Amino acid sequence: MAVRLVYPPRCTLCGVAVDDAFGLCGACWRDTPFITGLVCDLCGAPLPGDAGVDTEHCDDCLVSARPWTRGRAALRYDANGRRLTLALKHGDRHDVAHPAGKWLARSAQPMLLPGMVIAPVPLHWTRLLTRRFNQSALLSHALARETGLTNVPDLLFRQRRTRSLKGLDRAARHATLDGAIRPNPRHADAMRGARVLLVDDVMTSGATFSAAAQACFAAGADDVCILALARAVRDA
């Protein structure tokens, strides 16, 4: 209580006082593109129509084979969704991970299973050295705290540093990441028969998630789902 008096909770985006620590004020909440309602069951992209019992897929997932079972995302990667993601990734705003864990847990609810293992998409060690942290690992840790599931931050590793995917088309993105992500031999026993939930900050083409999911299956995982803080989607 004393801490709250000295350091009152502030909106993660604009900094105004809020009731809950690490939350958003009413105005920022209204302007943040949370993904709700009907979504693609493979990537979490929002779809037109009302949510029902039938499984729906977006155009991207209808034309691109996905090596995972289900997927979700908490935000659209635009407006405040983009600002929050970039603040975490490039702005050293580690505090964003705290509320993001709650948003991710809500979005992931349909996929969560007892005993599921949470793992972040890995960074190459050279990028980790430069950036000092892996934003996906911050998110997976926050999600584990919210769900009570086990987080294994080094379940996977990048065996080579790849070029930036920015500006590359879908085929080039997948080619760039082919074989770049590998299972960590230290967790070989834990991986066999596991149900894995992979976490990343942004999903665009899905190339990074594909490489990570393939690494999990190569190590003997029974099932892989994916979860992104933000999903980049084309305007209709």
Side-chain angles (χ1 to χ4, degrees):
M1 181 64 68
V3 172
R4 288 175 63 91
L5 291 174
V6 178
Y7 301 105
R10 298 286 178 179
C11 173
T12 305
L13 272 170
C14 71
V16 303
V18 294
D19 291 334
D20 296 320
F22 303 104
L24 297 174
C25 68
C28 288
W29 183 275
R30 288 191 300 271
D31 292 338
T32 299
F34 289 99
I35 296 176
T36 59
L38 183 63
V39 300
C40 173
D41 196 54
L42 278 170
C43 73
L47 297 174
D50 298 323
V53 295
D54 294 333
T55 298
E56 301 286 348
H57 296 147
C58 68
D59 291 344
D60 283 350
C61 291
L62 287 173
V63 300
S64 301
R66 305 297 196 188
W68 61 78
T69 305
R70 305 183 76 186
R72 290 293 187 274
L75 309 167
R76 284 177 58 110
Y77 187 62
D78 60 15
N80 281 349
R82 187 172 187 273
R83 294 186 189 98
L84 285 163
T85 305
L86 292 180
L88 172 64
K89 186 171 185 176
H90 297 302
D92 285 341
R93 289 285 309 279
H94 294 198
D95 58 296
V96 173
H98 188 111
K102 299 179 185 297
W103 308 333
L104 288 168
R106 181 180 62 181
S107 298
Q109 195 58 47
M111 305 185 297
L112 299 181
L113 295 168
M116 197 172 225
V117 174
I118 299 173
V121 168
L123 279 180
H124 191 263
W125 70 268
T126 56
R127 283 205 169 92
L128 187 59
L129 189 64
T130 301
R131 190 176 293 169
R132 305 186 310 279
F133 67 94
N134 177 0
Q135 70 279 0
S136 300
L138 294 178
L139 292 172
S140 69
H141 176 76
L143 176 64
R145 184 177 59 240
E146 292 295 326
T147 60
L149 296 174
T150 299
N151 177 44
V152 185
D154 61 342
L155 189 71
L156 303 171
F157 72 97
R158 293 209 187 212
Q159 67 172 357
R160 72 173 190 271
R161 178 168 177 160
T162 55
R163 60 174 292 193
S164 171
L165 301 182
K166 188 175 182 179
L168 300 181
D169 62 20
R170 182 186 301 275
R173 286 170 177 255
H174 282 271
T176 299
L177 284 163
D178 185 32
I181 298 177
R182 306 283 294 180
N184 190 334
R186 291 177 52 196
H187 299 295
D189 291 341
M191 188 75 90
R192 282 191 288 271
R195 292 175 292 195
V196 181
L197 178 59
L198 295 171
V199 179
D200 204 359
D201 56 338
V202 181
M203 176 181 171
T204 304
S205 69
T208 305
F209 273 130
S210 290
Q214 288 166 359
C216 290
F217 282 122
D222 270 359
D223 188 47
V224 178
C225 295
I226 61 104
L227 178 64
L229 175 59
R231 175 72 166 99
V233 294
R234 294 188 298 269
D235 292 330

